[in-house]
Amino acid sequence: MNKKVHVQDLGLKDYKETWDYQEQLFQETLDLKIRNRREELSLETPNHFLFVEHPHVYTLGKSGDISNLLVDENVLAAKGATFYKINRGGDITYHGPGQIVGYPILDLDNFFTDIHKYLRFLEEMVIMTLAEYGIKSERSPGETGVWLDVGTPFARKICAMGVRASRWVTMHGFALNVNADLGYFDMMIPCGIKGKAVTSLNIELGKKEVDVAVVKQKLLKHFQVLFEAKINEKTEV
C-alpha cells in the first residue's frame, strides 16, 4: 500500500480549472487501478491532497435542490460570483477567499476501504485543528461537516464537506472558513439546512485575520497522523 501523499497548494485558483485538474488526477488513478486489474499488475497508485482558495463560487451537489440558491444569475454576477452543478454528494456550498478548501484525491485501497470512516477522519482532522485554537467543535448527528454549539440555538457550521468516490478513489473534500466573508452565505441555504448559521475561525477568535498558512500546516499534521500518511509537499501556481 502506498501511503505517500503529494500535497500541492494551488493558491487562489478558478473553481472550474481546479475541478478539471481534480478530474485529471482522479481519472489517472482510476485508469491505473483498472489496468492493474486487467493486466494482473501491482503498480503503485498515487495519492494527492490539493489546497486551494477559490474566487466567489456556489456549487450544487448531484442530490442538491437549486431552490437553496436564493438569488438569480444577475445577482451572482453583480457580486462577482459564479455557479456550477457538480458531481459530489451534498447540497449547495459556497467557496470564496478566506476559506481553506482541501481536495484529497486518495486511493482508499492504500488506507482503508470505508467511506464513512473517511468522512469521519476528515471531520476529525478539522476538529483537532480547531482545538489547537481553543475552539471546541464537533459533529452534528445526520449532518456532515464540523459544527460549534451543536444542539443549541447557537449551532453554527464552520466546515462543509462533500465527496465523490469511485473504485475507492476520492475527490472533492472540505471547505473550512478561516477568514471568510459570511455575507456570501446569505444568498443560499447552506447545505440545504434551514435555520442553521455559519461562522469563521477569525470571528470565533475575535481577530480580523488568522494566518491561513499556519492553519494548513495544522490540518496536514493531523491528516498525516489520522491516515498514517507520508506527506510530500510542493507548491504550484
Side-chain angles (χ1 to χ4, degrees):
M1 293 191 294
N2 174 30
K3 290 185 175 289
K4 296 190 295 290
V5 179
H6 302 286
V7 178
Q8 298 176 66
D9 192 332
L10 304 180
L12 182 67
K13 197 172 184 70
D14 175 77
Y15 184 84
K16 183 63 166 62
E17 285 182 41
T18 310
W19 186 12
D20 289 345
Y21 184 46
Q22 274 196 85
E23 288 277 12
Q24 175 193 326
L25 297 175
F26 178 80
Q27 194 59 51
E28 285 173 358
T29 302
L30 278 182
D31 290 347
L32 184 53
K33 293 192 78 168
I34 292 168
R35 184 185 170 199
N36 275 341
R37 178 170 293 185
R38 283 180 179 167
E39 301 179 21
E40 297 184 355
L41 301 172
S42 54
L43 300 172
E44 269 192 357
T45 51
N47 305 293
H48 305 272
F49 191 129
L50 309 180
F51 277 127
V52 67
E53 280 186 73
H54 292 306
H56 303 294
V57 61
Y58 296 84
T59 69
L60 185 70
K62 56 188 177 183
S63 59
D65 184 347
I66 187 61
S67 68
N68 289 322
L69 180 63
L70 303 177
V71 297
D72 62 23
E73 290 182 11
N74 293 329
V75 175
L76 289 184
K79 285 282 192 178
T82 53
F83 171 80
Y84 293 99
K85 289 185 178 180
I86 60 173
N87 57 359
R88 59 160 169 78
D91 207 282
I92 196 161
T93 299
Y94 159 79
H95 299 310
Q99 186 186 68
I100 294 176
V101 179
Y103 296 131
I105 304 160
L106 310 180
D107 179 3
L108 291 182
D109 271 321
N110 289 324
F111 301 94
F112 48 78
T113 49
D114 184 333
I115 292 295
H116 179 81
K117 180 177 178 179
Y118 172 65
L119 284 166
R120 302 295 81 79
F121 270 24
L122 290 185
E123 289 167 345
E124 190 64 22
M125 171 189 68
V126 174
I127 289 168
M128 294 169 76
T129 297
L130 294 175
E132 291 200 54
Y133 290 91
I135 303 289
K136 182 183 182 298
S137 59
E138 56 193 315
R139 298 171 184 86
S140 181
E143 298 170 336
T144 303
V146 179
W147 301 72
L148 278 62
D149 291 333
V150 171
T152 78
F154 309 105
R156 54 208 183 278
K157 193 171 197 173
I158 196 167
C159 182
M161 291 188 183
V163 303
R164 176 192 175 197
S166 178
R167 296 179 185 263
W168 300 113
V169 181
T170 67
M171 67 178 290
H172 299 298
F174 67 92
L176 174 62
N177 297 331
V178 178
N179 303 306
D181 180 347
L182 300 184
Y184 280 83
F185 286 91
D186 294 337
M187 295 194 288
M188 67 176 191
I189 301 172
C191 302
I193 304 169
K194 294 182 179 179
K196 293 288 180 74
V198 293
T199 190
S200 187
L201 181 57
N202 65 323
I203 291 172
E204 296 298 325
L205 295 176
K207 293 184 176 181
K208 184 177 181 181
E209 194 168 288
V210 176
D211 190 326
V212 170
V214 173
V215 179
K216 288 175 183 175
Q217 287 304 313
K218 292 180 186 300
L219 287 166
L220 274 184
K221 176 181 67 177
H222 296 303
F223 173 87
Q224 186 169 5
V225 171
L226 288 163
F227 286 82
E228 298 178 350
K230 297 176 182 177
I231 299 297
N232 176 25
E233 290 188 65
K234 64 178 180 178
T235 300
E236 273 198 12
V237 179

